[in-house]
Amino acid sequence: MRTVDLSPLYRSFIGFDHLASLMDAAARTDKQPSFPPYNIELIAEDKYLITMAVAGFNDNELHIETENNTLKVTGVKADKNADKPERNFIHQGIAERNFERRFQLGDHVNVVGANLENGLLYVELERKIPEALKPRKIAIGTSKLLENVN
């Protein structure tokens, strides 16, 4: 993968240093292992669903947390030797290995909830833009500043 030099942008743009950290995070995301497989769906405007195939994991072995616009899903299998007889597999195609998957979230995207059903983990996300950042219509002819000048 080619690296991109963003230093010319820093000379003329102020406050965009987070762009470099976002690009670094995207580059690290490419190096993630492909396990477990996942889908990302747009359910409705500003509503998303991540579906992860986590066969063999129960809800006590899965951990979901967000920090600094990063969603981290971790699966840690319980000790296999605890109270279980040793199993001799002829073929083991179901991966029961630990994993950590990270997703970079956009601004104002929050996790709404999560559900585990039939070996699939569903993580619901929603973008909620604060009222102060939403566009607002300004009515013409309602200026108060010019009335006080006379």
Side-chain angles (χ1 to χ4, degrees), residues 11-32:
R11 284 182 250 157
S12 26
F13 294 106
I14 299 170
F16 286 90
D17 16 327
H18 74 281
L19 179 64
S21 64
L22 287 175
M23 292 186 76
D24 286 341
R28 277 189 308 244
T29 303
D30 290 341
K31 298 173 188 170
Q32 283 192 18

Side-chain angles (χ1 to χ4, degrees), residues 34-123:
S34 61
F35 180 78
Y38 65 92
N39 295 333
I40 301 175
E41 299 176 65
L42 177 64
I43 301 299
E45 185 177 347
D46 294 331
K47 294 185 185 212
Y48 306 90
L49 180 68
I50 298 174
T51 306
M52 297 180 71
V54 291
F57 286 87
N58 62 39
D59 54 352
N60 295 330
E61 298 169 331
L62 297 169
H63 308 284
I64 303 169
E65 59 185 52
T66 59
E67 183 180 355
N68 296 331
N69 288 357
T70 300
L71 168 65
K72 183 170 77 168
V73 180
T74 308
V76 179
K77 286 300 289 177
D79 187 16
K80 293 181 183 180
N81 299 329
D83 297 332
K84 288 187 179 179
E86 187 174 328
R87 298 161 58 186
N88 294 320
F89 291 101
I90 296 172
H91 170 75
Q92 185 175 9
I94 299 173
E96 292 184 344
R97 61 182 179 261
N98 298 341
F99 69 88
E100 180 180 291
R101 170 73 65 182
R102 292 178 184 264
F103 299 92
Q104 189 69 33
L105 302 178
D107 291 336
H108 313 295
V109 174
N110 299 312
V111 176
V112 177
N115 189 26
L116 180 64
E117 184 178 325
N118 296 329
L120 296 175
L121 175 66
Y122 300 98
V123 181

Side-chain angles (χ1 to χ4, degrees), residues 141-149:
T142 59
S143 175
K144 305 268 191 242
L145 184 62
L146 297 178
E147 293 175 2
N148 297 332
V149 173

